Amino acid sequence: MDSLFKRAIRDSFAKLAPRAQAANPVMFMVYVSAALTTVLLVLSWFGISDAPSGYIAAICGVLWATVLFGNFAEALAEGRGKAQADALRSAKRDVEAQVVDEATLAQAAEAEPEEAAALLAGAARAVSSSQLKRGQLYLVSAGGQVPADGEILLGAASVDESAITGESAPVVRESGGDRSALTGGTTVLSDWLVARVTAEAGHSFLDQMIAMVESAARKKTPNERALELLLIALTLVFLAVAWTLYGFGAFSAQSQGAQNPLGLTSLVALFVCLAPTTIGALLSAIGIAGMSRLNQANVLAKSGRAVEAAGDVDVLLLDKTGTITLGNRQAAAFIPVDGADERALADAAQLASLADETPEGRSVVVLAKERFGIRERTLTGAGFTVVPFSAATRMSGVDFDGHELRKGAADAVRAYVEARGGTFSNQCAQVANQVASEGGTPLVVARDGRVLGVIQLKDIIKSGIRENFADLHAMGIKTVMVTGDNPLTAAAIAAEAGLDDFIAEATPEAKLEAIRRYQAEGHLVAMTGDGTNDAPALAQADVAVAMNSGTQAAKEAGNMVDLDSSPTKLIEIVRIGKQMLMTRGSLTTFSIANDLAKYFAVIPALLVPLYPGLEALNIMHLASPASAMLAAIIYNALIIVALIPLALRGVKYREGSPNALLGRNLALYGLGGVAVPFVAIKALDMALVAIGVA
């Protein structure tokens, strides 16, 4: 943290360059005002001035402090990104790439893995990774660093991606499917891979990450530009107000034979005091900090526009598997039929599942243990013959001591039972149909040709997901589940999770059509995806979060990349987006309310010498025009510092309707923005008088 502050202080002075200041029009006006008062201070040393040198020096110092405080807020926000960029650069280095040709790849694809590895290693030629071109093929073996972004064409390996994601656990990358993308800078831990270069040096995913986390590469968003135009307009309005007041003061002073209390120094200070400098100084920091919070959540936003859009999203398309459910169906109940005992059914189901290493099979073993205390047994050396599952029989089980236990799909077990002279009762058929209609999967268990009952497998809704969706509903966001399941199953899961709608038996075309339909109705749509078949829908969505574990096509189509590859991250992204918009809106409200309060607090005190009747409006009874001006300009500088933590941290977001949130923020930041200046300026005025400064 100390290094971050030191870097921010150093950058605050570096940003005093005119070109850097010109990027923020409001603060550039403060910069020009500070430079002008510096000139006035120098002139005062030669007896050319409209105010005491001490007063001009104080105004000059405070104005330069205001500029530096604005620079510090931006530099502090940028510092997080620069620190992360430095860490990423340490993972980026020029390495030796092993390039192979297409003919060698074709031969290796026909050979056994060991022969293929030897063939590829023998034919590879060393090339610097900085010289790799798009479309070239390279080989990476265990212990080697991936030289460039690529799409895996052959092989499978364990890859350490901690340099990119921060996660220490390795991941499996393999050819085909949705986990075929390789990122340059990662390390292959085992086996080998052949990949095709998808991005040349300087344009890799790591280069994009470095550019995006460095705030210098951040482009202003449309909302930010619109707000900046509003601030410029307000600045021009207050500039006109200041000159008008100066004219009034000059005319009245001339007619009364008095001195104009609004000299050029006070005029410049008054203009800076009234201009919306608070939000002007913090606006850039708010945007940078919003993207930084996304980076801290391990999400790479390719543009600030995407972060803003996340705050305005009102429709979320979410995959079922891994997002809403745990990803694998699990045993939820044992349902005996035809007079069978539930414990006997559980015992038989566990025995039939001991050799089943699938998540579903293990869940049957665990449920029997939890429900009836039936301890897991071993099949080794106990006279058991395992009957493995096959696509032909759609059953599995064990044979022992002349007994047969089978577990499988209802129609497969029916055929098995009837072939042995048994009966598949109507009760069992009804139970199986009931489980299926509720969105579950029925597995029928039989012993020696007699049906014992049904195991209910069901998608397990993730803990807390229903509460998350309730929060989204409170935000006014519609949630839509996308699944390949049949409509009955999809409806059951959607109802249990508390979703608004679902798209069953979804195809890439169906996803794309759904997004277009919602957008045509005026909605902003967000979705996640990881496969090549998700790319069209990701490209269409307003907020498209691609999984880092997914294909290159998905990552290129999305405007955000989740480095953790967690589909539920979309919910957090929406919250961060809304928090950024709320922070900007809240501090804008506070800043404008501040300006109005300062207007009514300071101007009466300044003009009382010319218009004694204004004393009635000098409700704070400020000591003198000089003390009033100094107190206001000091407050104007200090409030920027006071609000930096809020700008970086963000306004705390609470779920609720837009009207409720607007009312709360207006009450807190609107009324607070009016009240705080009165209290602070009065306290500063008293302090200045007490120490004899004014």
Side-chain angles (χ1 to χ4, degrees), residues 535-556:
L538 287 170
Q540 182 67 36
D542 299 289
V543 177
V545 185
M547 302 294 103
N548 188 45
S549 62
T551 62
Q552 193 69 26
K555 289 197 281 188
E556 289 177 358

Side-chain angles (χ1 to χ4, degrees), residues 393 395 404 406 410-424 446 448-451:
T393 64
M395 290 190 305
E404 294 181 354
R406 296 291 184 272
D411 56 344
V413 175
R414 177 195 286 271
Y416 163 80
V417 168
E418 291 177 349
R420 282 157 179 72
T423 302
F424 193 91
D448 299 331
R450 175 180 174 243
V451 174

